[in-house]
Amino acid sequence: MTKGAIDNPVITEHALAHEEQGYGLLSQTIPEFRSGVWRLLRCHVTAVRKQRRKRIVYYSVSWREKAAGRARAHEIVAKVYGSDRGAKAHAVLRQLWKAGFRPPARQRVPRPYGYSAAAGTLLQGNAAGAAWADSLQGSEAAIESASSRAALWLLRLQRSPLAAEVYPWESDAASLRRFAAELAHSFPPYAP
């Protein structure tokens, strides 16, 4: 595969689904590739999905570390926001990552690889495991176990010394009502 460049600053998930465009985005956005600390070997699209107002492209990526000389392979996720909303998500991921929400800790976030303002795209590691909402289709024990792990993550977040923006409670209340309605629609047996 040849190295591709981002020719158009307005990038769609369809363009990023082409491996050459993904190769260009990764090599131009991730600081380790730009600086030459890592050499990008392979970029393969494994899936493209839509989630709410953004598109998500999954890449299987391998690179060689210049200093160690060894090859690594990871799944990198490109979240295409289409606007600059991803900048805030990237900043929060970086803050959490630096605060210890990363391996080997049990409560963690995906690795923030980089953010392209021109492409409106956040690059992050793939979050391992299953989503909490997926457990709602399981047994009571599975729901309780997943909810307990989610509560421990939230407790660690609340106990962390991280600063956060304070928003008016009205926006939280509106979001909470919307999320509750979406969950009730998706999981009618649990609506009450």
Side-chain angles (χ1 to χ4, degrees):
M1 167 170 299
T2 60
K3 291 183 181 179
I6 300 176
D7 299 319
N8 181 353
V10 179
I11 302 295
T12 66
E13 80 279 5
H14 302 294
L16 291 179
H18 296 287
E19 293 171 6
E20 192 165 317
Q21 289 291 329
Y23 196 105
L25 177 70
L26 293 167
S27 62
Q28 293 175 20
T29 304
I30 298 176
E32 291 85 353
F33 290 138
R34 274 197 331 266
S35 68
V37 172
W38 296 346
R39 186 170 57 91
L40 187 56
L41 302 174
R42 184 177 66 88
C43 171
H44 176 70
V45 176
T46 59
V48 179
R49 298 196 175 110
K50 179 182 177 182
Q51 183 183 43
R52 297 202 176 182
R53 297 181 298 188
K54 62 183 169 282
R55 304 293 191 261
I56 303 173
V57 181
Y58 295 82
Y59 296 104
S60 175
V61 179
S62 62
W63 64 81
R64 185 167 307 282
E65 294 179 356
K66 186 176 181 180
R70 63 179 172 204
R72 295 201 174 260
H74 290 277
E75 190 166 41
I76 294 180
V77 179
K79 292 186 175 180
V80 184
Y81 288 85
S83 68
D84 207 29
R85 290 188 337 258
K88 188 176 282 190
H90 182 247
V92 169
L93 276 179
R94 287 186 55 181
Q95 188 179 20
L96 288 166
W97 188 262
K98 287 179 183 177
F101 284 82
R102 64 176 185 255
R106 291 183 57 84
Q107 293 84 28
R108 51 188 151 191
V109 297
R111 180 179 179 166
Y113 282 101
Y115 178 72
S116 169
T121 302
L122 166 65
L123 297 174
Q124 67 177 56
N126 191 24
W132 172 81
D134 293 343
S135 69
L136 294 178
Q137 300 289 350
S139 68
E140 291 292 323
I143 294 169
E144 186 176 317
S145 176
S147 297
S148 176
R149 288 191 308 275
L152 288 172
W153 194 97
L154 289 170
L155 183 62
R156 174 154 185 238
L157 179 64
Q158 290 171 349
R159 289 179 175 166
S160 73
L162 297 171
E165 288 184 51
V166 178
Y167 295 99
W169 65 268
E170 294 87 357
S171 63
D172 287 339
S175 295
L176 184 59
R177 282 191 291 277
R178 188 179 84 244
F179 294 145
E182 288 174 11
L183 280 171
H185 179 72
S186 298
F187 304 100
Y190 298 100

